Structure formats: structure tokens, C-alpha cells
Amino acid sequence: RLGPSSGFLVRVPRDVEEGENVILALPNGEHLQVQVPPGKWPGDEFEVGPPVVMVQVPEGAAPGTLVAFSLPEGGAQPWTARVP
């Protein structure tokens, strides 16, 4: 299956209101900042999908080829991914 893994449910912490940001610790050890959606209050749950980036495969790249790309947010080093 191409695409991100399935999302997960987040419970709004008791000291956070709608529109505020929450930092989540993901199962893989990374952290993700998300905004509490409108109408969600402490104790409510909402679904969060993992961050994803769509990369255009260069013409002529074969399956298994490693491609490098930059993210819109910038960064010092390029990211890499294998062509499926």
C-alpha cells in the first residue's frame, strides 16, 4: 500500500482549549505538533494523520532507485526515499 500509515486518536489534555497547539510523542520516537480543532474540548478525542510528503518520481527512475528531494520548509540536507 502506498501512502501513510493509518492515523491515531488524540485526547485533548485538560489544560488545552480548541485552537491551541499540542505536541504529541509518536510511537517511533518523533514529535508532532498539532492544533486542537474547533469544537474540541478537554477530554474530547480527534483523529490525527501522520505527516506525509508527496514526491514526484523523476522520469526514468526505476523501482528501488534512491531519489533526493528538499522540503518546502527548507533544511540543511536533502531527504531521500526509494522509488516503490
Side-chain angles (χ1 to χ4, degrees):
R1 173 182 181 265
L2 292 178
S5 58
S6 60
F8 50 94
L9 288 179
V10 174
R11 186 178 307 273
V12 179
R14 74 181 112 156
D15 59 340
V16 177
E17 297 180 3
E18 64 177 316
E20 292 184 336
N21 291 328
V22 176
I23 296 177
L24 309 173
L26 301 179
N28 65 1
E30 294 181 13
H31 290 85
L32 176 65
Q33 180 174 301
V34 298
Q35 187 175 55
V36 175
K40 297 296 180 182
W41 302 99
D44 289 347
E45 292 182 332
F46 62 98
E47 189 171 352
V48 174
V52 296
V53 175
M54 185 178 291
V55 177
Q56 183 173 355
V57 175
E59 191 171 326
T65 302
L66 193 63
V67 295
F69 59 95
S70 298
L71 296 176
E73 297 85 27
Q77 69 184 63
W79 292 78
T80 59
R82 290 212 181 274
V83 175

